[in-house]
Amino acid sequence: MQLTRVLYQGLMRSAGYIMLSLFVFVNVLMFYVTSDERAAQINAQHVYMHTMLEAHHVSATEELKYDNLTPTLANHSHLNSMVIERLTPTILGWEVVHQNGRHIAGQRYSDSWNLTETVFRHDGYNVVVSHESLLVSHFIDFLYANVALAFICLTAIGMTYRKVFPHWKILLQLEMWAGRYSRDERFKFFIKTRDYHLVNTIREINSQRILAQKGGQKIDHFIRSQAFLDKLTGLGNRLYLDNRLEALIQSEQQVFGAILLVHFSSLDELRERQGKKATASLVNDYSSLLKPYLDDTQQTVVARINYSEFALLLPFSDEAEIEKVAKALIEKSSRFELPLGVQASHSCYIGVKQFSHTESAFHIMAEADLALRAAQLQGPSSWFMYEAGKLPISGVKGSVRWRITLENALEKGNFSLAMEPIKRLNGDIASYQSNLILKEADAVISSSVFMPMARKCGLIPQLDMLSLELVVEELAKQKSVPVGVRIHIDSWLNRDFDVWLVRFLKKHVGLTQRMIFEVSEFELTNNVNSIKKLLSIVKRYGGKVMVVQVGFYVMDLGYLNNVPVDSLLLHKSIGSNILSHKENQMFIRSLNGVASAQKQQVFAAGIETVKQINLLKRLGLSGYMRIN
């Protein structure tokens, strides 16, 4: 309900009642005044007539006596010849009438369309005075009075409007902002005036709310950074690496990849010479060589293990790609600028451990460390791969073979959707998360395997279009539960895809309301200004927006202030270790507080046990996904 509309209607209704009452009062007052005036005129005319009649007194005749007429009016022939002037224009005539109704005498001055007669009774006869009605006699007076009254009222309303509207306009703007704010809490408070206590108070409260949200986001980022980030470089720490590696092994049935331990020994030499503070900038510069290997689609991880050792987790990478990365790191390290007297060309050692889902995280890290020691024994700037050649056959493909495979699959329609339910804490299904899978011969390849290669081949937009079309088919089969679909940053930033998406939304506007468009936190944070407009278009057509893989990288939650997000899905590494890692619980509690303030739901992933579900309830989350 709009307060301004209610007040406006109330004021208009009250003004109408006041004006109507004023008009009634004035007209009733004029009616009584004019009625008394008219009665006085009629009485004056009657007195004047009676005086004139008495002046024409004659002797009564026998006939008149027989007729029982008063002697004063005995000679009525004289009455007919007598002229009696009217005193006011309202008098139209007069007549003397016998009691038995016989006309004796009379005179007519003029006629009127609305004539009224007043009878004065005397002894033996009646005097009838004809005159204009009150409506005719005072019509002009009533008209002028009502027009003048209407002019005065309208003038008063106009002057009041002129003085009140500038203040009323502020109230309209305030309510307009409130209406937009109820639909979008990110809508900016645009009223600039500071002349009103109400506006200033609302502005201050809104500013405090925004600061509180940003404060909560800063606290959340602080908690995550303290728990999972290396303070100097901003990379993940050892705990972060262990969590991601363990979650990766537990959650994917076809998982394979490699972990690279990189030791840049020149940093140790500089630390001994100059100390930690003096060499901190060099450590940070060297970490910049590793950051380009972060890839959200492949879910690579870069971490700092100790002062001079770093780690790269490369899921779904074959031997050729691993070898390429290792050689590139050694080449970059050899060109790294160091102070005089320190050589970089002979100080980089890399230990590589290839792994599959059958191995434990502890076993993988132990053998990666053995590989690093073996590389250090081989000589300056070398690398060593532990247990190479154990990747699944389905994963060993070069870029060219992958392109051919993916293009053939697109042409033949060998892609389909795997649906995973996202449940509420009471067990009801909140939505489904769809994942594209590739059917090749007797094998089924998940998107986590072929999507990194699809990115290298430039096929991500085509695969995302296919995912959306398959989701539409799925929604046509079932009529209630929403379905989520992952759209990668390659597609969001592709103009052809953007044009296609808008047409897709218009074509399927009836189904869009049950579609959830998923975007990863890492991609959204780094491209928020580029894709927020397109996400707003998705919202305009009724689609929902979910941020997925929340917590995989330590990111600032400031994007929640700029993008219309409906829900967040935690990365499985957060949920799978929730019972044993208190820092994960702290992160979830902090994140849920920030999201709840903006009416956003938070779901966990990687959940297996009832204990984990009960803990999610205590932390206030909306639901969960089980480990696939």
Side-chain angles (χ1 to χ4, degrees), residues 148-297:
L149 183 60
F151 176 77
I152 293 172
C153 291
L154 292 176
T155 303
I157 291 174
M159 294 179 65
T160 303
Y161 175 82
R162 184 177 179 181
K163 290 184 175 295
V164 172
F165 181 73
H167 311 287
W168 185 263
K169 180 180 178 181
I170 300 299
L171 188 59
L172 288 172
Q173 292 176 345
L174 187 62
E175 189 163 51
M176 183 188 302
W177 171 83
R180 292 289 299 273
Y181 174 79
S182 64
R183 297 190 296 270
D184 183 6
E185 293 186 355
R186 290 176 295 275
F187 187 68
K188 184 179 179 181
F189 189 81
F190 60 87
I191 305 176
K192 297 181 179 180
T193 180
R194 295 185 178 275
D195 297 334
Y196 305 90
H197 294 306
L198 176 61
V199 176
N200 294 336
T201 301
I202 293 177
R203 180 188 294 108
E204 182 65 24
I205 292 174
N206 186 58
S207 299
Q208 292 178 1
R209 177 190 64 82
I210 295 174
L211 289 175
Q213 287 182 353
K214 292 182 177 179
Q217 294 167 4
K218 290 180 180 179
I219 292 173
D220 172 82
H221 184 70
F222 176 78
I223 292 173
R224 297 165 71 182
S225 61
Q226 291 294 313
F228 300 116
L229 287 188
D230 175 65
K231 295 181 181 179
L232 179 59
T233 63
L235 298 175
N237 55 22
R238 179 59 185 264
L239 177 61
Y240 176 79
L241 176 65
D242 291 342
N243 282 351
R244 301 311 181 260
L245 177 59
E246 186 175 349
L248 178 66
I249 294 172
Q250 290 179 353
S251 61
E252 295 286 354
Q253 295 298 320
Q254 298 177 336
V255 69
F256 62 90
I259 188 163
L260 286 71
L261 295 184
V262 182
H263 178 217
F264 193 56
S265 59
S266 297
L267 296 176
D268 293 325
E269 183 180 348
L270 287 170
R271 183 182 59 175
E272 292 177 0
R273 291 183 184 182
Q274 303 176 5
K276 285 186 176 182
K277 292 185 178 180
T279 58
S281 61
L282 290 173
V283 174
N284 198 27
D285 290 342
Y286 187 77
S287 69
S288 299
L289 297 178
L290 307 177
K291 289 179 180 179
Y293 291 98
L294 290 171
D295 185 348
D296 183 60
T297 300

Side-chain angles (χ1 to χ4, degrees), residues 420-431 568-570 575 602-610 612-614 616-617 621-627:
E420 301 177 43
I422 299 178
K423 296 184 177 181
R424 300 197 181 278
L425 296 177
N426 60 5
D428 295 339
I429 296 178
S431 64
L568 301 98
L569 179 64
L570 297 172
V602 180
F603 296 89
I607 303 301
E608 290 184 283
T609 65
V610 176
Q612 290 175 324
I613 296 175
N614 291 334
L616 295 180
K617 291 180 180 179
L621 266 64
S622 301
Y624 61 93
M625 279 183 65
R626 292 190 178 275
I627 289 182

